[in-house]
Amino acid sequence: MKLFSFGKFIAIVLILLTSMSKSASAQTSDAARLGMALDYYQGGKYHEAMLLLERLDQQYKLNPRFRAYLGVCYYYEWDYARAATCLDSVIPKLESFSPSERSFYSFAAAESYFYMKEFDKALPFYQQMLLLCHDNEKADAFYRIGFIYSLRQDWIAALDNFQSSLVYYRRYRPEETARIAQIRNMLVGCCNEIDAKD
């Protein structure tokens, strides 16, 4: 009887050790997948990174930074609804990150909402981005904000933002002559609307 109990005990220990080694092996494999996802992300292979990050997020619930990476992958995949939802949920949890990194996530969220024509949701993200980004990154945000205010028919705010956008395009991206010409036309339109109200 004791021999049977001892044999049973050994079998249970072997089963536990086997399942523990499988679990450790799976975790090692998942760590390798996460490393591969980060390599893909940093290499601009967003679709591949997205597939791996989605699988890992379902299994482990990724931390806010990796979920932000997933949101960026959705943005580059033109899946703006998922990008906005994902980034919107994690951006408040990223306060300790560098301003330039947070600025990029805010821009991706803003652009996602903008492309979905949810301008009221896009505006605060563009404004947040402007507080965090470098000067050479501000032109697009000011342009989009000007566009949003023109849709609201708030012509003075639109004019202010288009003027700021023009300054940043001329200084940092003078080669974008079509955009600069477009902004000049928008400025004329805003001035005409302001004059018509007077």
Side-chain angles (χ1 to χ4, degrees):
M1 186 85 148
K2 285 184 180 182
L3 189 58
F4 178 73
S5 296
F6 181 74
K8 199 174 189 181
F9 172 76
I10 294 294
I12 291 171
V13 168
L14 286 174
I15 290 171
L16 286 174
L17 288 174
T18 304
S19 68
M20 285 173 38
S21 75
K22 284 181 183 176
S23 176
S25 171
Q27 287 178 351
T28 301
S29 175
D30 288 338
R33 281 191 190 99
L34 182 59
M36 190 181 308
L38 295 178
D39 287 342
Y40 282 140
Y41 180 86
Q42 291 170 345
K45 295 181 178 181
Y46 298 108
H47 182 77
E48 292 84 351
M50 177 191 73
L51 295 174
L52 290 170
L53 290 170
E54 281 179 333
R55 190 174 316 144
L56 291 167
D57 190 43
Q58 288 173 354
Q59 190 169 356
Y60 295 105
K61 183 150 174 63
L62 295 172
N63 71 32
R65 171 172 268 150
F66 295 132
R67 289 204 33 85
Y69 291 165
L70 182 57
V72 169
C73 291
Y74 291 140
Y75 168 71
Y76 281 120
E77 286 288 304
W78 303 324
D79 189 346
Y80 299 124
R82 288 170 73 187
T85 300
C86 188
L87 290 168
D88 206 352
S89 70
V90 297
I91 286 173
K93 300 173 185 172
L94 305 176
E95 289 298 316
S96 63
F97 291 24
S98 74
S100 61
E101 184 175 0
R102 290 174 26 226
S103 137
F104 179 71
Y105 299 139
S106 295
F107 183 73
E111 288 283 281
S112 295
Y113 280 122
F114 187 89
Y115 287 125
M116 292 188 303
K117 298 182 173 141
E118 294 186 37
F119 303 116
D120 290 337
K121 291 182 179 179
L123 183 60
F125 284 107
Y126 285 124
Q127 291 167 330
Q128 182 178 14
M129 180 232 172
L130 286 172
L131 297 174
L132 300 168
C133 70
H134 299 287
D135 285 347
N136 63 344
E137 300 168 325
K138 292 183 177 185
D140 288 332
F142 277 121
Y143 174 76
R144 295 284 202 225
I145 292 170
F147 190 84
I148 291 169
Y149 280 122
S150 69
L151 290 174
R152 292 179 174 181
Q153 298 183 354
D154 184 344
W155 302 113
I156 293 175
L159 180 68
D160 288 344
N161 283 281
F162 283 133
Q163 285 174 330
S164 295
S165 179
L166 183 60
V167 167
Y168 285 100
Y169 273 109
R170 282 172 150 170
R171 182 163 188 192
Y172 295 104
R173 293 161 55 184
E175 71 281 358
E176 294 192 41
T177 55
R179 176 56 59 91
I180 290 169
Q182 182 184 29
I183 293 170
R184 286 189 177 125
N185 290 334
M186 299 295 276
L187 290 169
V188 170
C190 289
C191 290
N192 289 341
E193 291 293 337
I194 293 167
D195 288 344
K197 287 187 173 183
D198 288 342

